Amino acid sequence: VSLLSICCITANSKNAQLSDYEKEEMQKAIAYYDNNQPDKAIEIYEHLLTNNPKHFLINYEYALAKTAKKEYAEAIKITKKVEGNSDANCLLYQLQGNTYDFMGERKKAIASYDKGIKQFPKAGCLYQEKANIMLMEHDYNGALAMYEKAMEVEPTYTSSYFRASVLLLGSSEPIWGLIYGEALLLLDKGERNKVIQNTIVKSLRNTISISNDTLHVSLTKQNTIGFK
């Protein structure tokens, strides 16, 4: 699904203004993209860009469609073209960084996220994307710090709670995973709610052991609670 809602077209920036015809064409293009027909979407975007070459939303969706076709180098060029637009937002740097990641250029991906963070320090999605790269590089502490930073700057961005919870539930300190998981259950009633519930149950089962008629529960590596 397109990451930008068509309602973004009504933003205050002059650059964001589109004619009724352009709005209709954008809706068609986004529908094509959502139905896995990026070629048709690209045709529309390229036509619209002939009269509005620097429009942020058109270029963003154009780059997104190029990424869907795995034309990553072209997508990067498009995102760079509109970096200086007054109505550019954090999603541009998320897309740019993700595209670099698809290309196997993780250092460039992080550089894109960092560039976005400088402009949009309250954008939880950029910290999370950076954390995801760190996680793939096995920098677990760095990844956790970035997930927690995302929670700090954008408390309602629930993806970070989910990822931090899953990471910690598989660690030697699952109690913190339970805490973040419970926060997610309160904030997000969607599909991830069920996923985290199952993950929590599985994790709790792994913390329980029985010996000498005593039930032992270990939620941290430093303390084990015993119940007779």
Side-chain angles (χ1 to χ4, degrees):
V1 177
S2 169
L3 293 180
L4 284 183
S5 169
I6 198 70
C7 67
C8 291
I9 291 170
T10 61
N12 291 328
S13 168
K14 290 182 180 179
N15 183 52
Q17 300 305 310
L18 293 173
S19 68
D20 289 341
Y21 166 75
E22 288 171 320
K23 291 177 184 178
E24 290 176 6
E25 290 299 293
M26 283 291 291
Q27 288 173 329
K28 289 179 186 177
I30 291 172
Y32 279 132
Y33 174 85
D34 289 346
N35 286 305
N36 199 28
Q37 299 180 71
D39 286 314
K40 290 185 177 181
I42 286 169
E43 287 180 14
I44 294 175
Y45 296 137
E46 289 178 344
H47 172 67
L48 293 175
L49 287 168
T50 59
N51 294 320
N52 213 342
K54 289 286 286 181
H55 191 278
F56 172 71
L57 181 59
I58 301 173
N59 277 285
Y60 175 89
E61 297 290 349
Y62 183 33
L64 194 62
K66 286 286 188 179
T67 301
K69 288 197 65 183
K70 299 185 179 180
E71 296 178 3
Y72 301 134
E74 285 297 312
I76 292 294
K77 287 180 183 178
I78 297 164
T79 61
K80 286 185 175 294
K81 184 175 74 172
V82 291
E83 278 184 5
N85 280 32
S86 60
D87 53 346
N89 60 35
C90 62
L91 296 181
L92 176 71
Y93 296 97
Q94 183 182 36
L95 175 59
Q96 187 182 96
N98 290 354
T99 304
Y100 274 128
D101 183 29
F102 296 149
M103 297 168 72
E105 299 277 2
R106 289 179 178 173
K107 288 184 178 179
K108 289 184 178 180
I110 286 180
S112 290
Y113 302 139
D114 284 339
K115 186 162 48 176
I117 286 169
K118 285 183 179 179
Q119 293 190 45
F120 306 100
K122 300 295 186 181
C125 65
L126 296 175
Y127 296 96
Q128 177 175 293
E129 296 293 358
K130 186 175 179 180
N132 293 344
I133 297 288
M134 291 177 167
L135 195 60
M136 288 187 283
E137 296 287 344
H138 307 294
D139 181 4
Y140 302 114
N141 290 332
L144 180 59
M146 284 296 103
Y147 289 136
E148 291 177 331
K149 184 65 176 179
M151 297 176 212
E152 176 189 332
V153 302
E154 193 173 352
T156 58
Y157 188 70
T158 57
S159 291
S160 297
Y161 295 88
F162 175 79
R163 292 181 180 275
S165 180
V166 171
L167 175 60
L168 286 164
L169 285 170
S171 75
S172 60
E173 298 288 340
I175 189 169
W176 293 105
L178 291 173
I179 292 170
Y180 289 137
E182 287 294 333
L184 176 67
L185 294 176
L186 292 172
L187 291 168
D188 189 341
K189 302 302 181 183
E191 194 63 31
R192 281 179 303 192
N193 194 297
K194 296 178 182 178
V195 174
I196 205 65
Q197 285 184 50
N198 292 334
T199 306
I200 287 173
V201 169
K202 182 179 179 181
S203 178
L204 284 173
R205 286 173 179 165
N206 292 335
T207 67
I208 297 171
S209 62
I210 299 175
S211 64
N212 299 322
D213 297 324
T214 301
L215 178 70
H216 299 274
V217 180
S218 179
L219 295 176
T220 98
K221 62 184 178 182
Q222 298 184 355
N223 293 292
T224 297
I225 304 171
F227 299 93
K228 285 287 188 179

